[in-house]
């Protein structure tokens, strides 16, 4: 998003001379540490490939290399954005679109070929080379200042800035002035070239930003459509398998009672009592079904109270740990959509634990994190082995969270325990 004036809380933009000085200092710093970092990355790559078949050590190194490359790319994007005050979105790890090891492996592969990350790394390498040259030019500038006044000494010749043939003292003032000018021009030129390359390579243009936004919106819309389809299927299944047969039974029972009301009043009363009991059970099922569609307590009392009520209805003990107050670094409360996504994820997880996991207890932890996200974790001590099946409850959780712009992670090895984590932006 482009802004035309900086908010009052932001520091005023630096003037061009100061910006050039800051750029030169950045380059000098990268000239010192850039070579070390690039050497380490190259060492990880070479060692990882060399030990690829040595008990998996090489695989671990290559995985670490991907995350190290991401760290360098993230640093470079943040550095350029802060230096030039450009509205650049931070580099982010690829989201895991599928749970389990396969989903993580897929996200790792997509991260390894992420074009934006590699552009940032390439610019980091270029900036490190520029930084090495800037350091040499700075040393040449200092030397030129001193050599300008060499004629005031008794020496006959002075050495060049990088060694080599001595320069006659008579020529030192001219050589010093030319050296000062050339060094200063070189430093300024590299600083300006760095800015040009940074804006072209690292800073995302408007078209790329809009493309990324469209991609994210498309994924969220697909998740919303899928979540709605799964929810509709669940409602149809619950109505068809639960409430509908019970209501049909109530109708048949009342029909039999009507036939016997004159000939056998006692039997008719028993049938009416049976129909009354079935009707109350059907009402309870309808209430539970409606609660699964929309939890009104969320609107009335918030997520904390809704989860407390949910834990009270659970068939297995639930240890609830909810902290909804924003921490010191968070600036907003979760939106209604974010709370609803987390609530239904927890509700479906508790239902699955009660039906399939054979768990004796579950633990639910909910936090509002510093990065303005609502995070929740549900863990049970059941037998594990949970998998996302198309149209199943976990599939519904994944799509509902995706539609809210969040992430979903399932860890359920055979033998347990099973843990499910969701992370949803507070302003989703």
């Amino acid at each position: 998003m482009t802004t035309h004036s900086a908010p009052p809380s932001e520091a005023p933009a630096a003037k061009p001379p100061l910006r050039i000085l800051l750029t030169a200092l950045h380059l000098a710093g990268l000239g010192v540490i850039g070579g070390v970092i690039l050497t380490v990355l190259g060492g990880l790559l070479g060692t990882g490939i060399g030990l690829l078949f040595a008990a998996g050590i090489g695989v671990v190194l290559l995985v670490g290399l991907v995350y190290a490359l991401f760290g360098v790319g993230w640093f470079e994007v943040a550095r350029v954005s802060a230096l030039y005050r450009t509205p650049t979105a931070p580099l982010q790890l690829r989201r895991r679109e599928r749970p389990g090891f396969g989903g993580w492996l897929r996200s790792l592969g997509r991260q390894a070929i992420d074009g934006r990350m590699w552009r940032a790394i390439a610019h980091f390498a270029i900036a490190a080379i520029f930084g090495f040259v800037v350091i040499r030019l700075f040393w040449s500038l200092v030397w030129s200042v001193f050599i300008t006044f060499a004629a005031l000494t008794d020496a006959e010749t002075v050495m060049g800035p990088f060694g080599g043939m001595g320069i006659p003292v008579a020529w030192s003032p001219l050589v010093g002035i030319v050296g000062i000018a050339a060094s200063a021009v070189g430093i300024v030129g590299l600083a300006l070239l760095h800015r040009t390359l940074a804006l072209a390579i690292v800073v995302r243009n408007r078209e790329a930003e809009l493309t990324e936004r469209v991609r994210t919106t498309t994924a969220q819309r697909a998740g919303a459509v899928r979540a709605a389809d799964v929810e509709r299927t669940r409602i149809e299944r619950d109505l068809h398998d639960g409430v509908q047969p019970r209501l049909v039974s109530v109708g048949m029972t009342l029909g039999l009672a009507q036939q016997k009301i004159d000939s056998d009043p006692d039997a008719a009363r028993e049938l009416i009592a049976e129909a009354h009991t079935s009707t109350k059970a059907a009402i309870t099922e309808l209430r539970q079904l409606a609660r699964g569609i929309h939890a009104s307590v969320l609107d009335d009392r918030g997520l904390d109270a809704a989860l407390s009520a949910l834990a009270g209805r659970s068939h297995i003990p639930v240890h609830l740990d909810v902290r909804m107050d924003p921490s010191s670094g968070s600036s907003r409360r979760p939106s209604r959509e974010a709370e609803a996504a987390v609530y239904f994820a927890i509700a479906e997880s508790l239902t699955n634990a009660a039906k399939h996991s054979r768990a004796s207890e579950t633990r639910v932890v909910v936090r509002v994190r510093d990065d303005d996200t609502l995070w929740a974790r549900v863990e049970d001590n059941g037998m594990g082995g949970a998998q996302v099946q198309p149209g199943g409850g976990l599939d519904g959780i994944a799509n509902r969270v995706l539609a809210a712009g969040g992430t979903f992670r399932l860890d359920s090895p055979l033998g347990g325990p099973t843990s499910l984590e969701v992370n949803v932006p507070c302003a989703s």
Side-chain angles (χ1 to χ4, degrees), residues 65-77 88-95 97 105-123 201-202 204 208 211-212 215-216:
L65 174 63
V66 173
Y67 287 107
L69 290 172
F70 169 79
V72 174
W74 179 90
F75 166 79
E76 185 64 8
V77 172
T88 308
L91 192 65
Q92 295 182 345
L93 282 171
R94 291 285 184 171
R95 292 181 176 180
E97 297 180 353
L105 196 61
R106 182 181 180 88
S107 65
L108 183 67
R110 294 175 65 231
Q111 185 62 56
I113 60 174
D114 182 60
R116 190 179 179 214
M117 181 188 75
W118 282 108
R119 288 196 303 272
I121 294 171
H123 186 267
I201 298 176
V202 178
R204 305 187 65 181
T211 300
E212 177 65 19
R215 187 192 68 80
T216 303

Side-chain angles (χ1 to χ4, degrees), residues 104-188:
W104 171 79
L105 196 61
R106 182 181 180 88
S107 65
L108 183 67
R110 294 175 65 231
Q111 185 62 56
I113 60 174
D114 182 60
R116 190 179 179 214
M117 181 188 75
W118 282 108
R119 288 196 303 272
I121 294 171
H123 186 267
F124 178 85
I126 295 172
I129 296 173
F130 283 4
F132 177 77
V133 177
V134 164
I135 293 175
R136 303 286 284 184
L137 289 174
F138 179 76
W139 168 242
S140 176
L141 178 64
V142 174
W143 171 86
S144 299
V145 172
F146 281 103
I147 202 177
T148 302
F149 302 97
L152 301 178
T153 66
D154 296 332
E156 296 181 357
T157 61
V158 293
M159 299 297 294
F162 310 114
M165 184 181 299
I167 300 173
V169 172
W171 290 90
S172 62
L174 178 61
V175 173
I177 294 174
V178 172
I180 292 173
S183 301
V185 169
I187 293 174
V188 172

Side-chain angles (χ1 to χ4, degrees), residues 344-345 348-349 393-402 408 420 422:
F344 285 110
E348 187 63 34
S349 299
L394 293 176
D395 187 32
I397 293 176
N399 287 286
R400 185 184 287 269
V401 171
L402 177 61
F408 163 87
L420 181 143
V422 296

Side-chain angles (χ1 to χ4, degrees), residues 303 307 320-327 330 334 342 346 363-377 422-424 426:
L303 181 60
L307 292 179
L320 198 59
D321 182 7
V322 180
R323 299 180 189 176
M324 295 300 298
D325 293 331
S327 60
S330 182
V342 171
I346 294 174
R363 178 176 178 82
V364 177
V365 181
V366 181
R367 296 286 187 272
V368 176
R369 289 184 161 178
D370 291 345
D371 56 352
D372 286 332
T373 58
L374 181 59
W375 172 84
R377 175 182 174 90
V422 296
N423 204 41
V424 180
C426 288

Side-chain angles (χ1 to χ4, degrees), residues 44 56 63 199 293 301 355:
L44 280 176
V63 170
L199 296 179
I293 299 172
R301 299 172 57 191
K355 288 183 178 180

